[in-house]
Amino acid sequence: MQTYFNIRYEFDRQAVAEAIERQVGSFGPGYICVADGVILDRVNRDPEYCKVVNGSMFSICDSSFVPLYIKRIYGIRYGQYCGSEIFMDIVRSRKYRMIFMGTSQGTLDGLRTELTKVNPDIPGMQFVELPYRDVHDFDYPGIADMIRQDGAQIIWVALGAPKQEIFMSLLKPHLQSGVMIAVGAAFKFYSGTDVSRAPKWMVKAHLEFVHRIIKEPRKQLRRCRNIISSLPRLLREERKRKMQTTI
C-alpha cells in the first residue's frame, strides 16, 4: 500500500483480493474506495472528504492517468484497477454473498438479469434501490439491520462520488461485518439498460473520459474542468513530497 496525491492506494490486485478475504473472515466491517479523477480532485480540495477516503481499508486506482503521473514523478510503474473490473472479478468468483445498493430499480433489474449470466447465485441476492436524499438523511441503523439479516459479505454501493464514499463511512459504525465497495457507474455499465463503458481501445489509449463526456456531457464536462484546474497544483505538490522524502 502506498500514498500518492494524499490517497492510500493498493495497486496489487492479488493483495486487494486477499485483503477482502481477510476482512470478510474477521467479521469486522470495512470499506474500499475506487479512486478516479473525481475523487482525486475532491480529496485534495476537501480535508473532511480526504479523511473519509483514507478512513477506508484502502483505495484502488480507477484512473488511467494517476499511474502515468506516478511513473513520471517516481519512475515506478503501476496499473489501473477499475471499479467495473473489481466488481466483475468478485461477482465471477462466486466466493461471497452480495447485496447491491443504489441507482434506479430499472438499472438494478437489468443488472440482476445480466449478472445471472455469469453467476447463477445472483437471483438469490438482494438488489436494493436507495431513495434520493441527502447522504446524512439515510436510515443507517435500518440499512445495517437489513444487511445483517441478509448475511451479505460484500456490499456494493453505487451512489456516485462523493456521496457513496460518505455513505459507506456513515454506515460502517452500524455494521457488524461485511466489506463495502463503492463502484460508481459499474451498475450502469453492466445493467444493459444504461451507459456502457468505453471500448477497450479507448481505455488503453487513456481516452475513456472522452467516451464518458459523449454519453453524459453536462456531468462529465463539469468534472473534467475541476480535475484539470487542480492538476498542476497536485503534480507540483507531489514532486515536492518526493524531494522531501529523498533528502
Side-chain angles (χ1 to χ4, degrees):
M1 204 178 310
Q2 299 289 334
T3 298
Y4 298 104
F5 303 103
N6 294 314
I7 294 177
R8 292 171 53 250
Y9 287 107
E10 178 56 76
F11 291 95
D12 187 302
R13 297 187 182 210
Q14 184 61 35
V16 170
E18 291 173 356
I20 291 171
E21 188 169 4
R22 283 195 305 272
Q23 191 69 34
V24 168
S26 75
F27 298 103
Y31 64 94
I32 295 171
C33 298
V34 177
D36 61 2
V38 175
I39 290 179
L40 174 66
D41 172 64
R42 186 69 177 248
V43 158
N44 286 279
R45 292 179 186 269
D46 184 344
E48 291 305 311
Y49 184 64
C50 183
K51 292 177 184 177
V52 167
V53 171
N54 287 328
S56 66
M57 294 164 57
F58 48 78
S59 294
I60 64 170
C61 184
D62 192 28
S63 168
S64 66
F65 288 98
V66 166
L68 296 180
Y69 305 150
I70 294 172
K71 186 174 184 298
R72 182 68 179 268
I73 296 171
Y74 293 94
I76 303 172
R77 186 183 297 274
Y78 291 117
Q80 177 186 18
Y81 194 14
C82 297
S84 57
E85 291 175 328
I86 189 175
F87 179 70
M88 196 51 72
D89 285 348
I90 293 177
V91 168
R92 286 195 175 111
S93 75
R94 297 186 65 184
K95 292 179 65 174
Y96 304 108
R97 178 165 181 80
M98 299 172 284
I99 189 168
F100 303 79
M101 305 177 67
T103 70
S104 68
Q105 195 59 54
T107 297
L108 291 170
D109 290 344
L111 184 65
R112 183 198 297 271
T113 298
E114 294 302 312
L115 294 185
T116 300
K117 298 174 183 178
V118 299
N119 182 337
D121 304 324
I122 290 295
M125 300 181 190
Q126 288 197 72
F127 289 70
V128 181
E129 181 181 19
L130 294 173
Y132 182 78
R133 59 182 51 165
D134 186 273
V135 71
H136 296 283
D137 293 338
F138 284 101
D139 177 13
Y140 289 105
I143 294 171
D145 188 57
M146 176 187 64
I147 293 170
R148 181 188 60 78
Q149 292 184 43
D150 180 89
Q153 298 161 301
I154 302 293
I155 302 107
W156 296 108
V157 180
L159 292 171
K163 188 174 185 178
Q164 60 194 8
E165 291 76 34
I166 299 171
F167 176 92
M168 293 191 297
S169 72
L170 294 175
L171 180 57
K172 181 186 172 184
H174 301 281
L175 290 177
Q176 296 177 353
S177 62
V179 174
M180 297 173 281
I181 309 176
V183 287
F187 283 18
K188 295 181 179 181
F189 292 161
Y190 291 115
S191 69
T193 63
D194 216 312
V195 178
S196 60
R197 194 181 178 199
K200 289 184 178 179
W201 70 266
M202 293 189 79
V203 175
K204 289 182 178 179
H206 306 283
L207 293 173
E208 186 169 10
F209 74 96
V210 175
H211 177 83
R212 298 290 293 276
I213 289 173
I214 293 171
K215 295 293 183 179
E216 301 174 298
R218 186 174 179 180
K219 175 181 177 181
Q220 298 302 329
L221 281 172
R222 182 179 67 253
R223 288 181 165 186
C224 286
R225 184 168 57 249
N226 289 339
I227 293 167
I228 291 170
S229 67
S230 66
L231 185 58
R233 175 178 58 83
L234 295 184
L235 295 174
R236 186 168 58 250
E237 290 177 352
E238 193 65 24
R239 289 192 181 97
K240 187 182 297 184
R241 274 190 286 271
K242 180 198 173 184
M243 292 175 63
Q244 291 172 344
T245 57
T246 55
I247 293 175

Short mmCIF file of all heavy atoms in Angstrom, two decimals, residues 17-52:
data_model
loop_
_atom_site.label_atom_id
_atom_site.label_comp_id
_atom_site.label_asym_id
_atom_site.label_seq_id
_atom_site.Cartn_x
_atom_site.Cartn_y
_atom_site.Cartn_z
N ALA A 17 -7.56 -8.67 -3.34
CA ALA A 17 -8.40 -9.85 -3.13
C ALA A 17 -8.14 -10.48 -1.77
O ALA A 17 -9.08 -10.88 -1.06
CB ALA A 17 -8.16 -10.87 -4.24
N GLU A 18 -6.87 -10.56 -1.37
CA GLU A 18 -6.52 -11.17 -0.09
C GLU A 18 -7.00 -10.31 1.09
O GLU A 18 -7.46 -10.84 2.11
CB GLU A 18 -5.01 -11.38 -0.01
CG GLU A 18 -4.51 -12.47 -0.96
CD GLU A 18 -3.00 -12.56 -1.03
OE1 GLU A 18 -2.33 -11.70 -0.38
OE2 GLU A 18 -2.48 -13.45 -1.71
N ALA A 19 -6.92 -9.00 0.94
CA ALA A 19 -7.37 -8.10 2.00
C ALA A 19 -8.88 -8.21 2.19
O ALA A 19 -9.38 -8.20 3.33
CB ALA A 19 -6.99 -6.66 1.67
N ILE A 20 -9.62 -8.34 1.10
CA ILE A 20 -11.07 -8.50 1.19
C ILE A 20 -11.41 -9.81 1.88
O ILE A 20 -12.27 -9.87 2.77
CB ILE A 20 -11.71 -8.45 -0.21
CG1 ILE A 20 -11.60 -7.03 -0.79
CG2 ILE A 20 -13.18 -8.89 -0.17
CD1 ILE A 20 -11.99 -6.92 -2.25
N GLU A 21 -10.72 -10.87 1.51
CA GLU A 21 -10.98 -12.18 2.11
C GLU A 21 -10.68 -12.16 3.61
O GLU A 21 -11.44 -12.70 4.42
CB GLU A 21 -10.14 -13.25 1.42
CG GLU A 21 -10.48 -14.66 1.83
CD GLU A 21 -9.83 -15.71 0.95
OE1 GLU A 21 -9.05 -15.34 0.04
OE2 GLU A 21 -10.11 -16.90 1.16
N ARG A 22 -9.58 -11.50 3.99
CA ARG A 22 -9.24 -11.41 5.42
C ARG A 22 -10.29 -10.62 6.18
O ARG A 22 -10.69 -10.99 7.29
CB ARG A 22 -7.87 -10.74 5.60
CG ARG A 22 -6.67 -11.62 5.30
CD ARG A 22 -5.39 -11.00 5.86
NE ARG A 22 -5.17 -9.65 5.38
CZ ARG A 22 -4.52 -9.36 4.26
NH1 ARG A 22 -4.04 -10.32 3.50
NH2 ARG A 22 -4.33 -8.10 3.90
N GLN A 23 -10.73 -9.51 5.59
CA GLN A 23 -11.71 -8.66 6.27
C GLN A 23 -13.04 -9.38 6.44
O GLN A 23 -13.67 -9.30 7.49
CB GLN A 23 -11.91 -7.36 5.50
CG GLN A 23 -12.70 -6.29 6.23
CD GLN A 23 -11.95 -5.73 7.42
OE1 GLN A 23 -10.73 -5.60 7.40
NE2 GLN A 23 -12.67 -5.39 8.48
N VAL A 24 -13.48 -10.08 5.40
CA VAL A 24 -14.72 -10.85 5.49
C VAL A 24 -14.57 -11.92 6.58
O VAL A 24 -15.48 -12.16 7.38
CB VAL A 24 -15.07 -11.50 4.13
CG1 VAL A 24 -16.18 -12.54 4.29
CG2 VAL A 24 -15.51 -10.43 3.13
N GLY A 25 -13.42 -12.57 6.62
CA GLY A 25 -13.18 -13.62 7.61
C GLY A 25 -13.08 -13.11 9.03
O GLY A 25 -13.34 -13.85 9.99
N SER A 26 -12.74 -11.83 9.18
CA SER A 26 -12.57 -11.26 10.52
C SER A 26 -13.90 -10.87 11.16
O SER A 26 -13.96 -10.57 12.35
CB SER A 26 -11.69 -10.01 10.46
OG SER A 26 -12.40 -8.91 9.90
N PHE A 27 -14.97 -10.84 10.36
CA PHE A 27 -16.31 -10.44 10.81
C PHE A 27 -16.36 -8.99 11.27
O PHE A 27 -17.25 -8.61 12.02
CB PHE A 27 -16.82 -11.37 11.92
CG PHE A 27 -16.96 -12.80 11.49
CD1 PHE A 27 -16.03 -13.74 11.87
CD2 PHE A 27 -18.01 -13.18 10.66
CE1 PHE A 27 -16.15 -15.07 11.46
CE2 PHE A 27 -18.14 -14.51 10.25
CZ PHE A 27 -17.21 -15.45 10.65
N GLY A 28 -15.39 -8.20 10.84
CA GLY A 28 -15.42 -6.78 11.13
C GLY A 28 -15.74 -6.01 9.86
O GLY A 28 -15.37 -6.42 8.77
N PRO A 29 -16.46 -4.88 9.96
CA PRO A 29 -16.82 -4.11 8.76
C PRO A 29 -15.66 -3.28 8.23
O PRO A 29 -14.75 -2.89 8.97
CB PRO A 29 -17.95 -3.21 9.26
CG PRO A 29 -17.62 -2.97 10.70
CD PRO A 29 -17.00 -4.27 11.19
N GLY A 30 -15.68 -3.00 6.95
CA GLY A 30 -14.70 -2.15 6.31
C GLY A 30 -15.23 -1.67 4.98
O GLY A 30 -16.28 -2.14 4.52
N TYR A 31 -14.52 -0.72 4.37
CA TYR A 31 -14.94 -0.27 3.05
C TYR A 31 -13.74 0.06 2.19
O TYR A 31 -12.64 0.33 2.69
CB TYR A 31 -15.92 0.90 3.13
CG TYR A 31 -15.40 2.19 3.73
CD1 TYR A 31 -14.88 3.21 2.94
CD2 TYR A 31 -15.49 2.42 5.11
CE1 TYR A 31 -14.46 4.42 3.49
CE2 TYR A 31 -15.07 3.63 5.67
CZ TYR A 31 -14.55 4.62 4.86
OH TYR A 31 -14.13 5.81 5.40
N ILE A 32 -13.96 -0.01 0.89
CA ILE A 32 -12.92 0.25 -0.11
C ILE A 32 -13.42 1.32 -1.05
O ILE A 32 -14.57 1.27 -1.52
CB ILE A 32 -12.59 -1.04 -0.90
CG1 ILE A 32 -11.96 -2.09 0.03
CG2 ILE A 32 -11.65 -0.74 -2.07
CD1 ILE A 32 -11.80 -3.45 -0.62
N CYS A 33 -12.58 2.30 -1.33
CA CYS A 33 -12.92 3.35 -2.29
C CYS A 33 -12.30 3.04 -3.64
O CYS A 33 -11.23 2.44 -3.71
CB CYS A 33 -12.44 4.71 -1.80
SG CYS A 33 -13.18 5.24 -0.24
N VAL A 34 -12.99 3.44 -4.68
CA VAL A 34 -12.50 3.27 -6.05
C VAL A 34 -12.17 4.68 -6.55
O VAL A 34 -13.05 5.43 -6.95
CB VAL A 34 -13.55 2.57 -6.93
CG1 VAL A 34 -13.07 2.47 -8.36
CG2 VAL A 34 -13.87 1.18 -6.37
N ALA A 35 -10.89 5.04 -6.48
CA ALA A 35 -10.48 6.43 -6.65
C ALA A 35 -10.20 6.78 -8.10
O ALA A 35 -9.17 6.42 -8.66
CB ALA A 35 -9.24 6.72 -5.80
N ASP A 36 -11.13 7.50 -8.70
CA ASP A 36 -10.95 8.01 -10.06
C ASP A 36 -10.51 9.47 -9.98
O ASP A 36 -10.15 9.98 -8.91
CB ASP A 36 -12.23 7.85 -10.87
CG ASP A 36 -13.41 8.61 -10.27
OD1 ASP A 36 -13.23 9.31 -9.24
OD2 ASP A 36 -14.52 8.52 -10.83
N GLY A 37 -10.54 10.16 -11.11
CA GLY A 37 -10.11 11.56 -11.13
C GLY A 37 -11.00 12.46 -10.29
O GLY A 37 -10.51 13.44 -9.70
N VAL A 38 -12.29 12.14 -10.20
CA VAL A 38 -13.21 12.95 -9.41
C VAL A 38 -12.82 12.89 -7.93
O VAL A 38 -12.77 13.91 -7.23
CB VAL A 38 -14.66 12.46 -9.60
CG1 VAL A 38 -15.61 13.21 -8.67
CG2 VAL A 38 -15.09 12.63 -11.04
N ILE A 39 -12.54 11.68 -7.45
CA ILE A 39 -12.15 11.51 -6.04
C ILE A 39 -10.79 12.14 -5.78
O ILE A 39 -10.58 12.80 -4.75
CB ILE A 39 -12.16 10.02 -5.66
CG1 ILE A 39 -13.62 9.52 -5.64
CG2 ILE A 39 -11.48 9.78 -4.33
CD1 ILE A 39 -13.77 8.06 -5.31
N LEU A 40 -9.86 11.96 -6.71
CA LEU A 40 -8.55 12.58 -6.58
C LEU A 40 -8.68 14.09 -6.40
O LEU A 40 -8.05 14.69 -5.51
CB LEU A 40 -7.70 12.28 -7.82
CG LEU A 40 -6.34 12.97 -7.91
CD1 LEU A 40 -5.41 12.47 -6.82
CD2 LEU A 40 -5.72 12.74 -9.29
N ASP A 41 -9.49 14.72 -7.23
CA ASP A 41 -9.69 16.16 -7.15
C ASP A 41 -10.35 16.55 -5.83
O ASP A 41 -9.88 17.47 -5.13
CB ASP A 41 -10.57 16.61 -8.33
CG ASP A 41 -10.99 18.06 -8.22
OD1 ASP A 41 -10.12 18.94 -8.26
OD2 ASP A 41 -12.21 18.31 -8.08
N ARG A 42 -11.40 15.84 -5.45
CA ARG A 42 -12.17 16.19 -4.25
C ARG A 42 -11.34 15.98 -2.97
O ARG A 42 -11.40 16.80 -2.03
CB ARG A 42 -13.44 15.33 -4.20
CG ARG A 42 -14.42 15.68 -3.08
CD ARG A 42 -15.07 17.03 -3.34
NE ARG A 42 -16.05 17.33 -2.32
CZ ARG A 42 -17.37 17.39 -2.52
NH1 ARG A 42 -17.85 17.15 -3.73
NH2 ARG A 42 -18.20 17.68 -1.55
N VAL A 43 -10.57 14.90 -2.92
CA VAL A 43 -9.72 14.63 -1.75
C VAL A 43 -8.78 15.80 -1.49
O VAL A 43 -8.51 16.16 -0.33
CB VAL A 43 -8.93 13.32 -1.95
CG1 VAL A 43 -7.69 13.28 -1.06
CG2 VAL A 43 -9.81 12.12 -1.68
N ASN A 44 -8.26 16.40 -2.55
CA ASN A 44 -7.28 17.46 -2.42
C ASN A 44 -7.90 18.85 -2.35
O ASN A 44 -7.18 19.85 -2.27
CB ASN A 44 -6.28 17.38 -3.57
CG ASN A 44 -5.32 16.22 -3.40
OD1 ASN A 44 -4.34 16.32 -2.67
ND2 ASN A 44 -5.60 15.10 -4.05
N ARG A 45 -9.21 18.91 -2.34
CA ARG A 45 -9.91 20.17 -2.12
C ARG A 45 -10.63 20.20 -0.77
O ARG A 45 -10.89 21.28 -0.23
CB ARG A 45 -10.97 20.40 -3.23
CG ARG A 45 -10.41 20.67 -4.62
CD ARG A 45 -11.57 20.85 -5.60
NE ARG A 45 -11.14 20.97 -6.98
CZ ARG A 45 -10.88 22.10 -7.60
NH1 ARG A 45 -10.99 23.24 -6.93
NH2 ARG A 45 -10.50 22.12 -8.86
N ASP A 46 -11.00 19.03 -0.26
CA ASP A 46 -11.86 18.93 0.90
C ASP A 46 -11.21 18.04 1.96
O ASP A 46 -11.22 16.81 1.84
CB ASP A 46 -13.21 18.34 0.47
CG ASP A 46 -14.23 18.29 1.59
OD1 ASP A 46 -13.84 18.41 2.77
OD2 ASP A 46 -15.43 18.10 1.29
N PRO A 47 -10.65 18.62 3.03
CA PRO A 47 -9.97 17.82 4.05
C PRO A 47 -10.88 16.79 4.72
O PRO A 47 -10.42 15.70 5.08
CB PRO A 47 -9.51 18.88 5.07
CG PRO A 47 -9.43 20.15 4.29
CD PRO A 47 -10.52 20.07 3.27
N GLU A 48 -12.16 17.09 4.90
CA GLU A 48 -13.07 16.15 5.54
C GLU A 48 -13.32 14.95 4.62
O GLU A 48 -13.40 13.81 5.10
CB GLU A 48 -14.39 16.83 5.89
CG GLU A 48 -14.27 17.85 7.02
CD GLU A 48 -13.67 17.24 8.28
OE1 GLU A 48 -14.13 16.17 8.70
OE2 GLU A 48 -12.71 17.85 8.82
N TYR A 49 -13.44 15.21 3.35
CA TYR A 49 -13.62 14.10 2.40
C TYR A 49 -12.35 13.27 2.31
O TYR A 49 -12.41 12.04 2.16
CB TYR A 49 -13.99 14.66 1.03
CG TYR A 49 -14.30 13.60 -0.01
CD1 TYR A 49 -15.38 12.75 0.14
CD2 TYR A 49 -13.50 13.46 -1.14
CE1 TYR A 49 -15.67 11.77 -0.82
CE2 TYR A 49 -13.78 12.51 -2.10
CZ TYR A 49 -14.87 11.67 -1.94
OH TYR A 49 -15.14 10.71 -2.88
N CYS A 50 -11.21 13.91 2.42
CA CYS A 50 -9.92 13.19 2.45
C CYS A 50 -9.90 12.20 3.60
O CYS A 50 -9.46 11.05 3.45
CB CYS A 50 -8.77 14.18 2.57
SG CYS A 50 -7.13 13.41 2.54
N LYS A 51 -10.42 12.60 4.76
CA LYS A 51 -10.49 11.70 5.92
C LYS A 51 -11.40 10.52 5.63
O LYS A 51 -11.13 9.39 6.05
CB LYS A 51 -10.98 12.47 7.15
CG LYS A 51 -10.01 13.50 7.68
CD LYS A 51 -10.62 14.25 8.86
CE LYS A 51 -9.70 15.36 9.35
NZ LYS A 51 -10.32 16.14 10.47
N VAL A 52 -12.51 10.78 4.94
CA VAL A 52 -13.45 9.70 4.59
C VAL A 52 -12.78 8.68 3.69
O VAL A 52 -12.84 7.47 3.94
CB VAL A 52 -14.70 10.28 3.90
CG1 VAL A 52 -15.53 9.17 3.24
CG2 VAL A 52 -15.56 11.05 4.89
#
